[in-house]
Amino acid sequence: MTLQAIRYHRGSLEILDQLQLPDTTHYFHIKDTQGGWDAIKKMQVRGAPAIAIVGCLSLAVELDNQEFTTLNELERFVVDKLDHLVTARPTAVNMAEAAAKGKALVRNIAKLGDLQATEGKIKVIESFEAMLKNDVDVNKNIGRFGAENILSQSGDKAVNVLTHCNTGSLATAGYGTALGVIRCLSEKKKLEHVFCTETRPYNQGARLTAYELVHEKIPSSLICDSMAAACMKNHQISAIIVGADRVVANGDTANKIGTYQLAILAKFHEVPFYVACPKTTFDPNIDTGKDIEIEERPHHEMTSVKGVPIAAKGVGCWNPAFDVTPADLITGGIITEFGVFKPSEMRDKMEEFDDELVDIF
């Protein structure tokens, strides 16, 4: 049974506090959008899809406890709250994408004016609730397309793969993106072994991915970030699969810091490098990766672990949370819920599927 990082029913939202993993499994309530903003900012919830879902569901919970006399009042409230949620973490595009859709929905409801304020509120809440099921369905498609593509390259032989950061149930509504591909390979009995990086400085690989792999009894080994090249050389890695926080028009991809160096190593060792992400991670409004805003995190994340100092006192730090992998290093392709595409195909393919996609909002 996969881990459940988000527990929701109408008017109630609980999330698994990822800062306490793997030592303690603790769920806590989020009662409003400020609580959602705080949880995202503190990284109690992380992973681009999960950030968007928790952000929107925190607003759904707050809306459930609010009364509005007019649709315009509802519109102002929803727009203000969504704008605030987007500011929590700037690099991942999914929250901004969800906010744009939510604002478009509530503005259209207010413009049409054919509903009572309470009815309009319910429509907005239902649209946010739909994100939970939709995300799991999307992730399962990503897993299937990714696994099929990797096995087509291996001659249907069982594979060793390497992954970075956390892209599983803890980063999504369930199943996962890159880890969803790995999970699907395991379900097909075509997974020999998974190597996951520790992912310094926040150790999402050591704390979270390893936790998920152990929980689901998937054969795996944890490696330090500095061991990746040796791992590729010595363990016949068939593919590297990572997630993404933003894919831009030319196929450049922002993901957890350390992804770029893995892509370079993969190119040298001739290992296919895949990025797995939903369509909502694609941002056609940014042309190249150099224009992606990269979040910088506090220095203490590098100089201490759980409050215990591990670096010389007074040393300066540079702590970007993400880096950008150029499109030409994504040699395996970008795995989406619609298939696996070359980075150069993403703009046209996503526009094509825009015409076919049933909008959950």
Side-chain angles (χ1 to χ4, degrees), residues 193-331:
H193 205 82
V194 183
F195 293 89
C196 71
T197 59
E198 60 183 352
T199 324
R200 282 282 294 151
Y202 224 66
N203 293 318
Q204 295 99 322
R207 292 189 300 108
L208 307 179
T209 300
Y211 182 81
E212 291 200 47
L213 293 170
V214 169
H215 178 83
E216 300 198 24
K217 298 180 174 59
I218 293 174
S220 56
S221 295
L222 177 68
I223 62 172
C224 297
D225 295 359
S226 55
M227 299 173 184
C231 184
M232 290 180 216
K233 181 179 180 181
N234 292 294
H235 288 287
Q236 295 184 316
I237 301 300
S238 301
I240 296 175
I241 319 164
V242 301
D245 289 83
R246 191 182 297 249
V247 178
V248 298
N250 74 336
D252 291 350
T253 300
N255 192 49
K256 185 55 56 186
I257 190 72
T259 302
Y260 177 32
Q261 65 194 25
L262 286 178
I264 293 171
L265 291 171
K267 187 76 174 272
F268 179 84
H269 289 281
E270 298 182 333
V271 176
F273 187 91
Y274 291 89
V275 171
C277 61
K279 179 185 178 295
T280 52
T281 304
F282 181 67
D283 184 358
N285 299 311
I286 295 180
D287 292 329
T288 71
K290 66 181 178 60
D291 296 317
I292 299 174
E293 180 182 357
I294 299 298
E295 174 189 2
E296 292 199 22
R297 300 287 300 174
H299 292 184
H300 70 78
E301 293 178 358
M302 293 178 62
T303 59
S304 65
V305 174
K306 294 187 175 180
V308 179
I310 60 170
K313 188 175 182 179
V315 69
C317 296
W318 178 55
N319 188 17
F322 305 92
D323 57 26
V324 175
T325 299
D328 60 0
L329 292 180
I330 304 172
T331 54

Side-chain angles (χ1 to χ4, degrees), residues 18-33:
Q18 297 187 27
L19 293 180
Q20 298 192 41
L21 292 174
D23 301 326
T24 303
T25 301
H26 170 69
Y27 289 85
F28 67 98
H29 285 276
I30 292 179
K31 299 179 180 179
D32 53 29
T33 49

Side-chain angles (χ1 to χ4, degrees), residues 121-139:
K121 181 182 79 169
I122 296 301
K123 287 283 187 184
V124 174
I125 290 173
E126 288 174 345
S127 72
F128 294 149
E129 291 173 342
M131 293 174 69
L132 266 174
K133 181 182 184 302
N134 182 70
D135 189 64
V136 174
D137 293 342
V138 163
N139 291 343

